[in-house]
Amino acid sequence: MNFTRWSARLPGTQRRAAARTEQTVPTDRRGDSPVPAARAGNPAAAVDELPAREVLDHVPALVALVHGPEHRLAHVNDAYAAAFGPRPPGGPARDTLPELAELGLLPLLDQVLRSGRPRTLKSRKAVDGRSYTFTCTPVTGHGDRDAGVLVFATDVTDHAEAAERLRASERSQRETAVTLQRSLLPQDLEEPDDLRVAATYQPGGTEAAVGGDWYDVITLGGGRTALVIGDVMGRGVRAAAVMGQLRTAVRAYARLDLPPHEVLQLLDGLAVEIDANQIATCVYAVHDPNEGRLLYASAGHLPILVRDETGEVLRADEPTGPPLGTGGWVHSSGSVPLGPGSTAVLYTDGLVERRDQDLDEGIAALERALAGATGTPQVVCDRLVRSAGVTADHDDDVAVLVLQHPARTGPAAELFRNAALDLLGGVEAAPRARAFASGVLTSWRFPTELHDLGVLAASELVANSLQHGTPPMRLRLRRTDRRLIIEVTDGDDHLPRRRRADPADESGRGIDIVATIASSWGSRRKPGGGKAVWCEFLLPKSRPRT
């Protein structure tokens, strides 16, 4: 092969390396200069006379020169031979350069030969265990059969190993954040009597740091249920840690049985204390089966979607304040119908937000998906996630919480009953309430012991309301498949407290008696004014849920 007939367009890195090699060759020693003396004063002529083989052998990168459509080997330099062993010239690259075939470079050589343009294959591990970046440069000859490709392999093992260590560190940090995130989410959702709930959490893909999405279901007592979903802005362990603090705080504030907007007010102040530079969005909603509505408040979060029993999807109005952590805002509560047969969806922005479309378009697509998503809450969750195109490599965290208020018929409906009595006051109110409670509990076929305890609790709660409350007053009895709930409401805002009465006291024992005989009790202020005092009795044995 005559190397002086070849002309290669060397990439910049190799060109500089070749130039450094040329600089190391003595140019003006008499008698042993590789440049003819007659042309020693002409640098261009000196380069013309420099043998190509000598240039390639001095290049520190691995070099292989092939020619023709079969890529027959013309030459490998000393660095290439040291890495992979000597290679006899003349044979096709598939046979003489098997290491290139294993790396899939032969199709690349065809492409370079056809297009006349250089191509690069970055950081591939070769059979010698080291990593190389291969640059294939077209070489022109005197004919098509003479054209060839110059293959440069630059050793990037140190860079590849450093990059792999960095990726391993990032994977470890991400796994730590995901583990922390999942450990801070509820491991098992609470199961309200009147709702069926399911939730799913999908962390972002391996290229995305985990975020601070969370959800929760909290039973408040008296048949009421709080539902929460939120999203801490930011990524990584810090966002997950802030999320855990907010979720714990929500559960604590929920025990106060406050209206949704007051819970968000408390959370807003706490978020500022946790990290003044960290903000979060959140929806806090409360379901009361007696009202048939979902009362909620939103701090910069996406709207709740509700599909009613007819299949129509309603987007909840947004009495929305700014995200948590901004401070100085008075939040407000709104409500949306959630009757029997309805399904509600709470979600984070990872489900509907895309870089190539408007957020409202994503929410509208979710509405269409919800309109056609039937089945159990878990089935609805999975269908909504699939319809949104969420995959394992999704670029953002996704949290979805689905709740259904089932429409019960037949035998299942017998396990969920309501009865209410308006109390007008006067001396006849207490005996009338006792007679009403006794008749209702008898018709519900409760055992004698539970019947008597229920009548006693109703009598004490009514007596307390008559003594300390104001009209209007109402006694409500409710049974579910798992418990009996007794509730008395009146127009006074003062909440009762359990206290131990002295032996000489003639009153003050009613709440203490109720707390002693009931499984749980509590009180809360009503949004429109007044209060509700309730107690619960667990049924003697559980019945299958429907």
Side-chain angles (χ1 to χ4, degrees):
M1 189 70 193
N2 184 359
F3 285 94
T4 60
R5 295 193 294 108
W6 293 67
S7 171
R9 295 189 292 273
L10 304 182
T13 302
Q14 287 79 7
R15 191 165 56 245
R16 290 190 293 272
R20 288 194 297 271
T21 302
E22 293 173 14
Q23 292 172 5
T24 63
V25 179
T27 58
D28 49 1
R29 290 183 183 177
R30 296 177 183 268
D32 56 359
S33 172
V35 182
R39 300 192 179 187
N42 187 345
V47 172
D48 290 339
E49 294 296 329
L50 193 62
R53 183 188 298 273
E54 185 173 348
V55 173
L56 296 179
D57 284 343
H58 282 83
V59 171
L62 281 61
V63 177
L65 181 63
V66 298
H67 69 94
E70 294 182 352
H71 309 300
R72 293 187 175 277
L73 180 62
H75 178 67
V76 295
N77 70 346
D78 294 342
Y80 195 104
F84 299 117
R87 295 290 186 269
R94 186 175 301 278
D95 300 329
T96 57
L97 302 174
E99 57 277 357
L100 300 187
E102 292 181 8
L103 291 171
L105 253 71
L106 298 188
L108 190 65
L109 296 180
D110 293 335
Q111 182 181 1
V112 171
L113 197 62
R114 287 194 305 267
S115 67
R117 296 181 179 181
R119 295 288 185 269
T120 298
L121 189 66
K122 294 185 178 180
S123 189
R124 293 294 188 272
K125 182 170 286 189
V127 293
D128 65 344
R130 302 190 67 79
S131 296
Y132 300 91
T133 289
F134 292 88
T135 299
C136 301
T137 304
V139 178
T140 58
H142 292 300
D144 292 340
R145 302 288 301 180
D146 235 3
V149 179
L150 197 62
V151 181
F152 285 81
T154 306
D155 192 334
V156 293
T157 303
D158 293 342
H159 292 73
E161 291 177 351
E164 180 56 34
R165 288 193 297 270
L166 178 60
R167 287 192 294 269
S169 175
E170 291 174 346
R171 285 194 299 268
S172 177
Q173 293 180 11
R174 185 178 185 279
E175 289 171 1
T176 299
V178 170
T179 301
L180 175 62
Q181 171 88 340
R182 291 193 181 279
S183 68
L184 294 174
L185 292 174
Q187 303 305 302
D188 295 300
L189 289 179
E190 297 183 18
E191 297 185 7
D193 291 4
D194 295 275
L195 298 177
R196 301 292 178 265
V197 295
T200 186
Y201 169 72
Q202 176 70 50
T206 56
E207 299 299 324
V210 67
D213 295 15
W214 93 92
Y215 56 83
D216 210 346
V217 178
I218 309 166
T219 54
L220 301 178
R224 302 165 72 249
T225 305
L227 305 118
V228 193
I229 197 162
D231 185 1
V232 177
M233 301 296 104
R235 301 282 183 176
V237 175
R238 177 60 182 168
V242 172
M243 176 274 287
Q245 295 178 76
L246 291 178
R247 177 178 173 251
T248 301
V250 169
R251 295 191 69 87
Y253 294 148
R255 302 305 176 191
L256 301 176
D257 216 343
L258 300 171
H261 64 275
E262 294 188 21
V263 172
L264 291 190
Q265 290 292 140
L266 295 173
L267 278 179
D268 186 32
L270 178 64
V272 174
E273 294 178 9
I274 293 175
D275 188 342
N277 298 318
Q278 193 86 51
I279 62 174
T281 64
C282 179
V283 167
Y284 181 87
V286 176
H287 176 255
D288 188 338
N290 296 315
E291 302 294 336
R293 302 185 69 83
L294 197 63
L295 187 67
Y296 67 92
S298 174
H301 205 79
L302 300 171
I304 300 172
L305 302 182
V306 178
R307 187 189 67 211
D308 62 20
E309 64 277 8
T310 67
E312 182 180 355
V313 177
L314 170 67
R315 185 186 301 192
D317 293 332
E318 301 181 50
T320 300
L324 303 175
T326 56
W329 183 270
V330 178
H331 293 271
S332 59
S333 294
S335 67
V336 62
L338 191 72
S342 298
T343 299
V345 178
L346 291 74
Y347 52 96
T348 57
D349 58 1
L351 186 66
V352 296
E353 190 172 31
R354 300 292 181 271
R355 295 177 181 176
D356 58 349
Q357 72 176 15
D358 186 76
L359 181 60
D360 283 337
E361 295 178 9
I363 299 176
L366 181 62
E367 289 178 347
R368 293 190 294 271
L370 177 59
T374 58
T376 66
Q378 189 60 59
V379 169
V380 173
C381 258
D382 296 340
R383 289 181 177 177
L384 295 181
V385 170
R386 286 198 303 271
S387 70
V390 177
T391 59
D393 57 353
H394 194 61
D395 61 358
D396 195 5
D397 289 18
V398 174
V400 183
L401 178 62
V402 174
L403 54 141
Q404 292 180 345
H405 187 184
R408 298 179 177 89
T409 58
E414 295 297 319
L415 301 179
F416 292 81
R417 306 287 293 275
N418 284 279
L421 174 68
D422 290 326
L423 302 173
L424 303 178
V427 294
E428 75 284 356
R432 185 164 174 256
R434 284 193 295 271
F436 175 78
S438 178
V440 169
L441 297 180
T442 299
S443 68
W444 289 349
R445 299 180 181 179
F446 281 163
T448 302
E449 181 180 1
L450 183 57
H451 171 279
D452 293 344
L453 290 176
V455 172
L456 176 59
S459 176
E460 293 297 337
L461 291 180
V462 168
N464 182 80
S465 180
L466 291 171
Q467 182 173 358
H468 302 288
T470 59
M473 303 177 188
R474 167 176 277 203
L475 168 65
R476 176 184 284 123
L477 284 76
R478 175 173 173 78
R479 68 157 297 167
T480 71
D481 58 345
R482 292 182 292 182
R483 71 195 77 224
L484 166 67
I485 303 168
I486 301 172
E487 181 181 82
V488 175
T489 60
D490 63 53
D492 186 75
D493 290 335
H494 178 73
L495 299 180
R497 294 289 182 266
R498 183 181 181 183
R499 66 182 182 87
R500 185 177 298 279
D502 293 331
D505 291 343
E506 296 183 358
S507 63
R509 296 181 175 85
I511 296 298
D512 189 50
I513 292 174
V514 170
T516 301
I517 64 176
S519 303
S520 60
W521 79 282
S523 61
R524 70 179 186 279
R525 290 188 176 89
K526 300 177 64 178
K531 67 176 179 293
V533 186
W534 56 268
C535 67
E536 296 180 349
F537 294 88
L538 295 178
L539 299 187
K541 63 179 180 178
S542 61
R543 294 175 169 83
R545 306 203 72 189
T546 58

mmCIF file of all heavy atoms in Angstrom, residues 73 116 128 131 153 180 182 192 220 263 302 311 318 379 390 421 425 485 493 500 509:
data_model
loop_
_atom_site.group_PDB
_atom_site.id
_atom_site.type_symbol
_atom_site.label_atom_id
_atom_site.label_comp_id
_atom_site.label_asym_id
_atom_site.label_seq_id
_atom_site.Cartn_x
_atom_site.Cartn_y
_atom_site.Cartn_z
ATOM 1 N N LEU A 73 -7.640 -4.281 5.456
ATOM 2 C CA LEU A 73 -6.695 -3.613 6.342
ATOM 3 C C LEU A 73 -5.448 -3.197 5.589
ATOM 4 O O LEU A 73 -4.820 -4.007 4.887
ATOM 5 C CB LEU A 73 -6.317 -4.543 7.499
ATOM 6 C CG LEU A 73 -5.321 -3.984 8.515
ATOM 7 C CD1 LEU A 73 -5.912 -2.753 9.203
ATOM 8 C CD2 LEU A 73 -4.950 -5.052 9.547
ATOM 9 N N GLY A 116 -18.890 9.970 2.985
ATOM 10 C CA GLY A 116 -17.721 10.836 2.949
ATOM 11 C C GLY A 116 -17.634 11.771 4.135
ATOM 12 O O GLY A 116 -16.902 12.755 4.100
ATOM 13 N N ASP A 128 -10.114 -5.616 25.278
ATOM 14 C CA ASP A 128 -8.987 -5.519 26.209
ATOM 15 C C ASP A 128 -9.393 -4.940 27.549
ATOM 16 O O ASP A 128 -8.541 -4.726 28.423
ATOM 17 C CB ASP A 128 -7.864 -4.672 25.587
ATOM 18 C CG ASP A 128 -8.277 -3.220 25.358
ATOM 19 O OD1 ASP A 128 -9.492 -2.950 25.394
ATOM 20 O OD2 ASP A 128 -7.386 -2.372 25.145
ATOM 21 N N SER A 131 -11.866 1.379 27.686
ATOM 22 C CA SER A 131 -12.907 2.086 26.956
ATOM 23 C C SER A 131 -12.270 3.050 25.963
ATOM 24 O O SER A 131 -11.280 3.726 26.286
ATOM 25 C CB SER A 131 -13.811 2.861 27.923
ATOM 26 O OG SER A 131 -14.497 1.969 28.786
ATOM 27 N N ALA A 153 -8.911 5.469 17.711
ATOM 28 C CA ALA A 153 -9.495 5.027 18.975
ATOM 29 C C ALA A 153 -8.760 5.713 20.114
ATOM 30 O O ALA A 153 -7.585 5.421 20.377
ATOM 31 C CB ALA A 153 -9.411 3.516 19.120
ATOM 32 N N LEU A 180 -36.819 6.808 51.031
ATOM 33 C CA LEU A 180 -37.342 7.752 52.018
ATOM 34 C C LEU A 180 -38.742 8.202 51.650
ATOM 35 O O LEU A 180 -39.649 8.242 52.495
ATOM 36 C CB LEU A 180 -36.403 8.957 52.123
ATOM 37 C CG LEU A 180 -36.866 10.113 53.023
ATOM 38 C CD1 LEU A 180 -37.020 9.633 54.461
ATOM 39 C CD2 LEU A 180 -35.887 11.283 52.944
ATOM 40 N N ARG A 182 -41.040 6.693 49.772
ATOM 41 C CA ARG A 182 -42.038 5.639 49.948
ATOM 42 C C ARG A 182 -42.285 5.336 51.421
ATOM 43 O O ARG A 182 -43.402 5.004 51.816
ATOM 44 C CB ARG A 182 -41.594 4.381 49.211
ATOM 45 C CG ARG A 182 -41.631 4.516 47.688
ATOM 46 C CD ARG A 182 -41.489 3.160 47.023
ATOM 47 N NE ARG A 182 -41.498 3.241 45.581
ATOM 48 C CZ ARG A 182 -42.588 3.336 44.838
ATOM 49 N NH1 ARG A 182 -43.784 3.376 45.414
ATOM 50 N NH2 ARG A 182 -42.516 3.397 43.517
ATOM 51 N N PRO A 192 -62.206 4.066 55.051
ATOM 52 C CA PRO A 192 -63.425 4.672 55.628
ATOM 53 C C PRO A 192 -64.629 3.757 55.429
ATOM 54 O O PRO A 192 -64.662 2.918 54.516
ATOM 55 C CB PRO A 192 -63.576 5.975 54.835
ATOM 56 C CG PRO A 192 -62.256 6.199 54.171
ATOM 57 C CD PRO A 192 -61.664 4.858 53.949
ATOM 58 N N LEU A 220 -61.681 10.731 60.519
ATOM 59 C CA LEU A 220 -61.848 11.768 61.531
ATOM 60 C C LEU A 220 -62.801 11.362 62.650
ATOM 61 O O LEU A 220 -62.886 12.048 63.658
ATOM 62 C CB LEU A 220 -62.364 13.053 60.875
ATOM 63 C CG LEU A 220 -61.478 13.645 59.776
ATOM 64 C CD1 LEU A 220 -62.142 14.880 59.186
ATOM 65 C CD2 LEU A 220 -60.103 13.974 60.314
ATOM 66 N N VAL A 263 -57.099 24.259 58.355
ATOM 67 C CA VAL A 263 -55.972 23.326 58.319
ATOM 68 C C VAL A 263 -54.871 23.865 57.413
ATOM 69 O O VAL A 263 -53.678 23.820 57.753
ATOM 70 C CB VAL A 263 -56.442 21.936 57.848
ATOM 71 C CG1 VAL A 263 -55.245 21.009 57.614
ATOM 72 C CG2 VAL A 263 -57.393 21.313 58.863
ATOM 73 N N LEU A 302 -53.934 21.610 41.895
ATOM 74 C CA LEU A 302 -54.805 21.382 40.742
ATOM 75 C C LEU A 302 -56.218 21.027 41.191
ATOM 76 O O LEU A 302 -56.411 20.463 42.271
ATOM 77 C CB LEU A 302 -54.227 20.249 39.879
ATOM 78 C CG LEU A 302 -52.825 20.540 39.337
ATOM 79 C CD1 LEU A 302 -52.237 19.303 38.686
ATOM 80 C CD2 LEU A 302 -52.866 21.685 38.347
ATOM 81 N N GLY A 311 -72.060 9.728 34.859
ATOM 82 C CA GLY A 311 -70.860 9.726 34.036
ATOM 83 C C GLY A 311 -70.347 11.101 33.675
ATOM 84 O O GLY A 311 -69.303 11.224 33.032
ATOM 85 N N GLU A 318 -62.319 26.592 42.195
ATOM 86 C CA GLU A 318 -61.056 26.710 42.910
ATOM 87 C C GLU A 318 -61.030 27.926 43.835
ATOM 88 O O GLU A 318 -60.610 29.002 43.426
ATOM 89 C CB GLU A 318 -59.890 26.798 41.927
ATOM 90 C CG GLU A 318 -59.782 25.591 41.011
ATOM 91 C CD GLU A 318 -58.600 25.699 40.067
ATOM 92 O OE1 GLU A 318 -57.494 25.981 40.546
ATOM 93 O OE2 GLU A 318 -58.803 25.543 38.864
ATOM 94 N N VAL A 379 -58.542 0.156 39.930
ATOM 95 C CA VAL A 379 -58.621 0.042 38.477
ATOM 96 C C VAL A 379 -58.661 1.434 37.841
ATOM 97 O O VAL A 379 -57.996 1.694 36.832
ATOM 98 C CB VAL A 379 -59.854 -0.782 38.068
ATOM 99 C CG1 VAL A 379 -60.093 -0.687 36.562
ATOM 100 C CG2 VAL A 379 -59.684 -2.237 38.478
ATOM 101 N N VAL A 390 -47.955 7.758 31.470
ATOM 102 C CA VAL A 390 -46.905 7.703 32.490
ATOM 103 C C VAL A 390 -46.209 6.351 32.400
ATOM 104 O O VAL A 390 -46.839 5.303 32.497
ATOM 105 C CB VAL A 390 -47.492 7.901 33.899
ATOM 106 C CG1 VAL A 390 -46.409 7.763 34.955
ATOM 107 C CG2 VAL A 390 -48.156 9.273 33.992
ATOM 108 N N LEU A 421 -83.674 13.062 64.325
ATOM 109 C CA LEU A 421 -84.796 13.633 65.079
ATOM 110 C C LEU A 421 -84.456 15.069 65.440
ATOM 111 O O LEU A 421 -83.417 15.335 66.064
ATOM 112 C CB LEU A 421 -85.064 12.819 66.350
ATOM 113 C CG LEU A 421 -86.115 13.388 67.308
ATOM 114 C CD1 LEU A 421 -87.506 13.327 66.668
ATOM 115 C CD2 LEU A 421 -86.097 12.643 68.641
ATOM 116 N N GLY A 425 -86.484 21.234 72.313
ATOM 117 C CA GLY A 425 -86.211 21.693 73.664
ATOM 118 C C GLY A 425 -87.380 21.394 74.589
ATOM 119 O O GLY A 425 -88.386 20.787 74.205
ATOM 120 N N ILE A 485 -72.895 5.177 64.981
ATOM 121 C CA ILE A 485 -72.477 6.558 65.233
ATOM 122 C C ILE A 485 -73.679 7.331 65.753
ATOM 123 O O ILE A 485 -74.759 7.304 65.157
ATOM 124 C CB ILE A 485 -71.947 7.217 63.946
ATOM 125 C CG1 ILE A 485 -70.790 6.395 63.360
ATOM 126 C CG2 ILE A 485 -71.503 8.647 64.212
ATOM 127 C CD1 ILE A 485 -70.395 6.809 61.964
ATOM 128 N N ASP A 493 -71.322 27.413 69.790
ATOM 129 C CA ASP A 493 -69.971 27.109 69.314
ATOM 130 C C ASP A 493 -69.056 26.537 70.384
ATOM 131 O O ASP A 493 -67.945 26.092 70.075
ATOM 132 C CB ASP A 493 -69.310 28.378 68.754
ATOM 133 C CG ASP A 493 -69.957 28.824 67.452
ATOM 134 O OD1 ASP A 493 -70.542 27.970 66.764
ATOM 135 O OD2 ASP A 493 -69.865 30.026 67.133
ATOM 136 N N ARG A 500 -63.317 15.270 85.079
ATOM 137 C CA ARG A 500 -63.741 14.395 86.174
ATOM 138 C C ARG A 500 -64.540 15.216 87.185
ATOM 139 O O ARG A 500 -64.037 16.164 87.773
ATOM 140 C CB ARG A 500 -62.537 13.749 86.840
ATOM 141 C CG ARG A 500 -62.911 12.727 87.921
ATOM 142 C CD ARG A 500 -61.671 12.076 88.491
ATOM 143 N NE ARG A 500 -60.944 11.344 87.464
ATOM 144 C CZ ARG A 500 -61.277 10.111 87.057
ATOM 145 N NH1 ARG A 500 -62.316 9.483 87.610
ATOM 146 N NH2 ARG A 500 -60.577 9.512 86.123
ATOM 147 N N ARG A 509 -71.066 14.983 84.389
ATOM 148 C CA ARG A 509 -70.599 13.612 84.171
ATOM 149 C C ARG A 509 -70.997 13.055 82.801
ATOM 150 O O ARG A 509 -70.612 11.955 82.455
ATOM 151 C CB ARG A 509 -71.154 12.697 85.265
ATOM 152 C CG ARG A 509 -70.655 13.031 86.661
ATOM 153 C CD ARG A 509 -71.220 12.071 87.684
ATOM 154 N NE ARG A 509 -70.663 12.321 89.002
ATOM 155 C CZ ARG A 509 -71.118 13.219 89.858
ATOM 156 N NH1 ARG A 509 -72.146 13.982 89.511
ATOM 157 N NH2 ARG A 509 -70.549 13.376 91.040
#
